Every structure is written in structure tokens, then in C-alpha cells.
Amino acid sequence: MSHDWNDSGILVAVPSKLICFFFVWTIAAAQAFSSQAQPEQAPAAPAQPSVTPSIPPKKSLAVVILDPAHGGPDLGARGSSGISESDVVLSYARLVRISLEAQGLRVILTRQANDAPSFDDRSKLAKAQRGSIFITLHVSSTGPPGTVRVYSLPQAPVKQDTASALHSGLLPWDRAQFNFIDQSRRLAELIQIQMAQRFHGSSETPFEAPVRQLRTVGAPAVAIEVSSVSLPDRAPLDQMGPGLADGLARAVAAFRTLYETGGK
Ligand SMILES: [Zn+2]
């Protein structure tokens, strides 16, 4: 009986103890294994997309290079009444500077007085400034008086030497505008719209022309041409100054938003 019990006891009790032992061992082993395994799982965590993505640096438009064209011995267009383009554009630049500075922009004039920096010296000012745009001011010799035309460079076909230069990362100096054609066109559009609202008879869409000064500017760049020096006196041209300054400030503010948000 006791044998039976022992037998049965062994047969029943031992396996149950073994099962129990195995159960406890399994849990303990699992815990030990998982606690050992955890440090091995940890290094896998950086592969998860919890890593902070790198944020591209913010593009900001901070500087406007204002270029009163001509100067020095180069008077630009001259009217029969003695009006010279180089004088009129300098007075425009001084007014435009005030309205742009009111927008919190830094303004650099390519000439402060009747001096004559070279095309390249003027362009270099834009090159030296991060986040700048370039506006060259002209007065035409002809055209409907009291109107304003805005120009950007046309998209020129890429020559072979330019293509290989682009590929090597070296852009020829006279092709500095190449990467800014679209932005320049957009800036020209925004300015031309403002001019059409202020100066009756002005186009609502800007123009494209191979303006010499714009070619070497490595930044969004436009030319503004007011008509014209062919007037009996300067007064009508001077009266256009405040409208020009206000319109330009509004257009540049609109362009600044597009530029900084990457909009088109
Ligand atoms: Zn000119």
C-alpha cells in the first residue's frame, strides 16, 4: 500500500514537483534572460524614427541692395531741359531706402553721391550679403511719362561651357544671375503690380531684358525704369518718388514672405 502510495507518490508527486520546478525555473530563466536581453535591445532604439529630424536653416531676407544707376562722369539718360538720370535715381534711392528701412530691412546703396562704382563693384555688394536682393533704378530717355517698367533677365539657353561649369560647382561671374532667374521674375511681377496701381498707364506684367547690371548679381535682382527724362522740368519725376518708395516697400514685403516660406 505504502509502495503503491510511494509508487503513485513518486509517479504523481515527483513529476508535479518537477513540473513545478521547471515552471519556476522557466519563469526565473525567462526573467534572467529578458533582463540580460534588455541591454541588447537598447542599442536598437536609435534606429527608431524617434531621432529628432534635422531642421534646415531658416532662409531670411534681410538686406536690399539699392543701386542708383550711372553716376560720376556717366550721367545716364539726359533730357533737353537738363535733367540727368544719375541725379534723379539717386534721389529715388534715398526715398526708397527710408520706406524699406521702415520694413525692418537693412538697405545698402551702391553709391551715396555722384561717384561711379563699376558694374562688378555694385554686384559684389549683393554677393557679400547673405539673404539679399538687388534693385537697380533707372530713368528712361523715352516712353510714356509717369509710367514705370520693371525688368528681370530672360532665361537664356545654357551654353556647353556654362553647363560644365555648373556641374563642377564653379559658376562664371557673368552667369551669377543664372540660379535666380525665377525668383527675380517673381520679384519683378510683385513690383510691377504695385507700379501699375500707382502710375496710370504702367504695365501690369513685368518685362524681360538683358540688363547688363543684373547679369553679375548672385541674388534675386530687378531693374526699375521710370519714364522719362524728356520732360520740361524735374517736378513730375520728383512727384513719383513717394509712390515709387511705397510701392517698392510693399512689393519687397510680399516677396520677403515668399522668400522666407519657400513659396512661389
Ligand atoms: Zn539708366
Side-chain angles (χ1 to χ4, degrees):
M1 204 118 148
S2 66
H3 179 84
D4 283 342
W5 182 87
N6 268 338
D7 270 349
S8 68
I10 288 166
L11 287 172
V12 175
V14 172
S16 81
K17 274 183 187 166
L18 269 175
I19 287 165
C20 191
F21 173 74
F22 265 105
F23 184 64
V24 169
W25 181 86
T26 306
I27 289 171
Q31 281 174 346
F33 190 79
S34 72
S35 69
Q36 278 176 350
Q38 267 168 359
E40 285 175 6
Q41 284 171 350
Q48 298 298 313
S50 61
V51 178
T52 309
S54 62
I55 297 158
K58 195 176 181 296
K59 218 174 131 190
S60 66
L61 176 66
V63 184
V64 179
I65 314 293
L66 264 186
D67 176 42
H70 312 286
D74 173 14
L75 300 172
R78 293 205 73 190
S80 54
S81 61
I83 302 167
S84 63
E85 180 185 1
S86 62
D87 286 344
V88 179
V89 291
L90 188 57
S91 63
Y92 284 161
R94 288 172 179 151
L95 278 177
V96 174
R97 166 180 225 158
I98 294 165
S99 64
L100 288 173
E101 283 177 345
Q103 302 272 351
L105 290 155
R106 199 172 140 230
V107 179
I108 298 170
L109 263 58
T110 57
R111 64 180 176 99
Q112 302 280 348
N114 193 27
D115 47 342
S118 69
F119 285 121
D120 287 354
D121 284 346
R122 298 175 200 234
S123 297
K124 276 177 194 161
L125 288 171
K127 201 182 176 192
Q129 302 295 326
R130 244 181 121 78
S132 65
I133 59 170
F134 187 100
I135 300 171
T136 179
L137 300 167
H138 293 257
V139 179
S140 67
S141 52
T142 57
T147 62
V148 179
R149 292 162 74 96
V150 187
Y151 297 88
S152 61
L153 278 195
Q155 186 84 55
V158 180
K159 285 190 228 150
Q160 195 53 47
D161 58 339
T162 307
S164 58
L166 282 171
H167 188 71
S168 67
L170 296 167
L171 198 62
W173 177 234
D174 72 345
R175 295 291 296 154
Q177 182 58 195
F178 185 84
N179 289 331
F180 300 93
I181 296 290
D182 291 343
Q183 279 184 305
S184 299
R185 174 75 188 180
R186 193 74 188 97
L187 177 60
E189 284 169 0
L190 292 166
I191 297 171
Q192 188 69 73
I193 290 165
Q194 291 291 329
M195 297 302 122
Q197 287 171 5
R198 285 165 175 76
F199 305 111
H200 185 70
S202 300
S203 168
E204 291 194 346
T205 52
F207 302 84
E208 289 184 349
V211 180
R212 167 65 185 88
Q213 180 65 67
L214 301 183
R215 253 180 22 220
T216 48
V217 179
V222 297
I224 296 176
E225 188 182 61
V226 176
S227 293
S228 73
V229 292
S230 302
L231 292 165
D233 68 273
R234 243 186 88 151
L237 283 173
D238 288 336
Q239 283 161 15
M240 292 174 77
L244 192 68
D246 185 52
L248 260 174
R250 284 170 192 267
V252 170
F255 182 77
R256 188 185 198 177
T257 306
L258 292 176
Y259 184 94
E260 292 181 354
T261 58
K264 296 272 176 193

